[in-house]
Amino acid sequence: MISRLPFELLSSILEEVAYSNAREIQHYTYGVDTTSTKGKVQRTLRGRVANDSLRWLSTDAIRQVNTQWHAWACQYAFRDLYIRRWRGSERWTQSRNLHTIQGYPSKDVYYRDPYCSLRKTVALFTTHPSLASSVRRIFFDGFYGIETTALIFQVLKCCDGLDSVALPWITLRYGSDEDWSHLLQLRQNGTALSSLELLAVDLKQSQIKDHARQVDKHPLGSHTVDFGHLRRIKLSGSSNLMPINDDDLVAISRTARLRELHVTGTTSITTKGLVALSRASEATLRVLEHSPLSDDGFEHPNASSTGDGSHLCHEVLQCPHLRDLAVSLPTICVDLFSDPSVKWTGDVQIRAAGVCGQIGSLGRSRDAQQGFFNILSQARSLIQAQQKRDIDLNIELYIDHFIFEPSKRLVHADLSVSEILSDGSWPVMAAPSSKGPYGQTGQYGKDERAYQCVHEEEFLEGLQKGYISF
C-alpha cells in the first residue's frame, strides 16, 4: 500500500498530487460590474487567489483519506501564510453564479471587518495549536495599529516552528520586550527564528497626527531581547511615523550575529547604523545589501558619520566571509578592491558619490577624476585575480547617472545631451545599452531616455572636452 512507503517518498508523491490539483483550481476571483455596460451585469476580474488558499484547496481531497494524509496536508497548506488587511468597497451579491441573479445586484454595501483575517487566525491557532505548529513562514501586510500589533504577536506565540517572519516596522515600537524576546528566543524543540523582515510604509496624515499612535515601548532597550539566533535581517521601505533609524540598528548589533543583512528603500538609516550592525556580524556575514532611496542615497555624511572616523572601504573588507555585496557608500577608493583574498562572487554593485580623500567633487576636481579611473583599474585587477581562482566576479560601479563595467571597459549612460553639446561629433562609437538607471531593469521614469554605452577611453575624451560631466 502507498501508506507503507517511506515518509519522504510519500511526501513527494502527495506534493505532486497537490501541484496537479492546483492547476485545475480557479486562480482568480471575480465580481460583477454595471458601470461600463449601461446596466448590464458583467463579470469582472478582481485579483489572484492567494497562494496559501490555493494550497488549502488543492489538498482538500488528500485531507479526507486518513489521519496521516490529513496531517501532511495541513502541514503543506499552513507552511507559508500571507495575512493581509482587507481593502475594498465591493457590493456583495446573494449568489455565486451570475445566471441565478434575479434582476440587478443589490446596491447595499455590507461592512467587512478589515482585520477579520487576523482575528480569525488568532482564534484558529488558539483552538488548534497543531495547525500553528505547521507554520514555517508568515507575512503580515497592512496592520499598523496598536491593537493589530497585539493580535500579530498572539499569532506568533502560537507558532512554535516558525522560521521566517515579515512584520510591519511599527511592531518594533508597539511590541513589548516580552513579545520580542518570546519571538526571538531559542525554543524547547531546539529551533529559533532565523529570518526577520521589517517592512515600512508611509501612513496618512490623519494617522500620523493621532496621539494614540505616538507610542514607543522601546523593546530593544531590554537585555532579554536577543537577536543572536537570527541569520537574516531585511529592513525595507521608509515611513513618516517613527521609522527605523541608526539607534535601532546599534541596539540590534549588541546581540546580532547575522549571515545576511539587507537595508533597501529607506531614508532613515545611514552608514552609521549599517557599519554598527556589519561590525557585530563581521565573522559570519555573507550577504550585505544597502540600497537607499535614489533621492537620499548619496546624501549620507562623510566617513566620520560612523562615529570614530573609520574608513568605510576598510570596513567592508573586515568581513572575511562576505560573498554577495551591493552597497551605497559616500566615497570609495582603490583600497576597496585591493585585497585579492576576498570571497566576493557574482555581481557586486557599488554606488558612490566621490573618491575618498578628495576635497573636490568628481565634477570639478581633475585629481578626483584621475583617482576614480585608478579605482576602475584596480577593480579590473581584482576581477582578473578572482578568475585565476576560478571565481566568477563582475563589478559594477554606479556614479551619478553613469554605470561603469570595469571588466568590459564600458560606461552606460544617457548621452543624448552630450550629442547636442558636441553637435553630433561625440560619441563616435556609441552602442545601445540594456541597462538603465536601475541596472538591467530598464527605465524607471517616463522622461528617461534609453541608455547607450561607450568605451572608457571615449568617455574620458568626452569628459575632458566638456561634452559630459559628473
Side-chain angles (χ1 to χ4, degrees), residues 273-338:
L274 188 74
V275 168
L277 201 48
S278 61
R279 277 180 181 174
S281 306
E282 63 182 20
T284 56
L285 196 63
R286 287 172 170 78
V287 179
L288 178 60
E289 179 185 11
H290 179 224
S291 305
L293 291 179
S294 59
D295 290 342
D296 303 83
F298 301 129
E299 298 300 327
H300 297 314
N302 57 26
S304 62
S305 64
T306 58
D308 55 6
S310 58
H311 189 184
L312 293 180
C313 295
H314 288 165
E315 291 292 336
V316 174
L317 297 176
Q318 292 303 311
C319 302
H321 300 290
L322 194 62
R323 296 181 181 275
D324 297 330
L325 180 64
V327 294
S328 297
L329 301 174
T331 58
I332 58 175
C333 65
V334 294
D335 293 347
L336 184 61
F337 306 110
S338 61

Side-chain angles (χ1 to χ4, degrees), residues 11-291:
S11 179
S12 299
I13 294 174
L14 294 180
E15 193 165 355
E16 289 297 328
V17 173
Y19 285 152
S20 178
N21 292 341
R23 287 193 290 267
E24 300 178 2
I25 297 174
Q26 188 63 256
H27 283 59
Y28 296 89
T29 58
Y30 297 89
V32 292
D33 179 42
T34 59
T35 58
S36 60
T37 55
K38 297 181 180 180
K40 183 180 179 181
V41 177
Q42 176 176 303
R43 188 171 72 163
T44 58
L45 181 68
R46 292 182 61 242
R48 287 185 61 88
V49 177
N51 289 333
D52 47 6
S53 298
L54 285 176
R55 285 195 300 272
W56 177 258
L57 295 174
S58 65
T59 56
D60 183 47
I62 297 176
R63 290 194 302 273
Q64 303 178 38
V65 176
N66 56 39
T67 304
Q68 183 187 22
W69 289 25
H70 183 277
W72 180 91
C74 290
Q75 291 179 357
Y76 176 80
F78 282 87
R79 182 178 59 196
D80 303 327
L81 287 186
Y82 179 77
I83 304 174
R84 68 171 182 172
R85 180 173 68 90
W86 179 82
R87 298 179 179 90
S89 57
E90 294 91 345
R91 293 170 171 83
W92 297 85
T93 64
Q94 293 76 31
S95 174
R96 293 177 178 270
N97 301 317
L98 291 180
H99 66 272
T100 61
I101 297 179
Q102 302 297 326
Y104 294 107
S106 170
K107 294 184 179 180
D108 296 331
V109 178
Y110 296 89
Y111 172 76
R112 292 190 66 186
D113 180 7
Y115 310 125
C116 179
S117 59
L118 185 57
R119 299 183 197 278
K120 286 188 174 181
T121 303
V122 173
L124 177 65
F125 285 174
T126 303
T127 55
H128 298 85
S130 60
L131 296 180
S133 299
S134 302
V135 180
R136 296 295 177 265
R137 289 179 288 273
I138 192 167
F139 185 101
F140 295 94
D141 180 22
F143 305 105
Y144 310 124
I146 298 178
E147 179 186 359
T148 55
T149 297
L151 293 174
I152 287 175
F153 281 107
Q154 286 186 42
V155 172
L156 296 177
K157 287 181 180 180
C158 298
C159 303
D160 56 7
L162 196 62
D163 181 67
S164 175
V165 62
L167 299 172
W169 88 103
I170 204 66
T171 56
L172 203 61
R173 308 301 182 205
Y174 295 160
S176 65
D177 54 353
E178 180 184 354
D179 293 331
W180 278 99
S181 61
H182 186 278
L183 175 63
L184 299 171
Q185 69 180 355
L186 183 66
R187 309 183 187 103
Q188 294 181 353
N189 57 11
T191 63
L193 187 72
S194 65
S195 176
L196 171 66
E197 295 187 25
L198 296 174
L199 312 177
V201 298
D202 285 334
L203 300 182
K204 297 178 181 178
Q205 289 298 320
S206 58
Q207 295 174 307
I208 299 174
K209 296 178 181 178
D210 185 0
H211 294 289
R213 291 179 177 268
Q214 306 295 330
V215 176
D216 190 352
K217 297 183 179 180
H218 301 286
L220 298 181
S222 173
H223 67 278
T224 61
V225 180
D226 188 356
F227 290 83
H229 299 293
L230 279 180
R231 293 296 173 262
R232 177 179 180 269
I233 287 181
K234 181 176 181 179
L235 309 175
S236 178
S238 187
S239 177
N240 50 11
L241 176 64
M242 294 186 290
I244 299 174
N245 52 38
D246 290 338
D247 293 337
D248 298 319
L249 267 63
V250 171
I252 293 174
S253 68
R254 298 191 185 106
T255 55
R257 299 295 181 268
L258 302 174
R259 292 182 182 175
E260 296 185 25
L261 174 59
H262 305 263
V263 181
T264 63
T266 178
T267 60
S268 57
I269 296 175
T270 69
T271 51
K272 177 183 177 181
L274 188 74
V275 168
L277 201 48
S278 61
R279 277 180 181 174
S281 306
E282 63 182 20
T284 56
L285 196 63
R286 287 172 170 78
V287 179
L288 178 60
E289 179 185 11
H290 179 224
S291 305

Side-chain angles (χ1 to χ4, degrees), residues 362 366 369 373 426 458-470:
L362 281 172
R366 293 290 183 182
Q369 293 175 7
F373 280 94
W426 190 92
E458 187 168 9
F459 178 84
L460 179 59
E461 178 187 352
L463 195 64
Q464 294 173 345
K465 292 182 178 181
Y467 297 148
I468 199 167
S469 63
F470 287 101

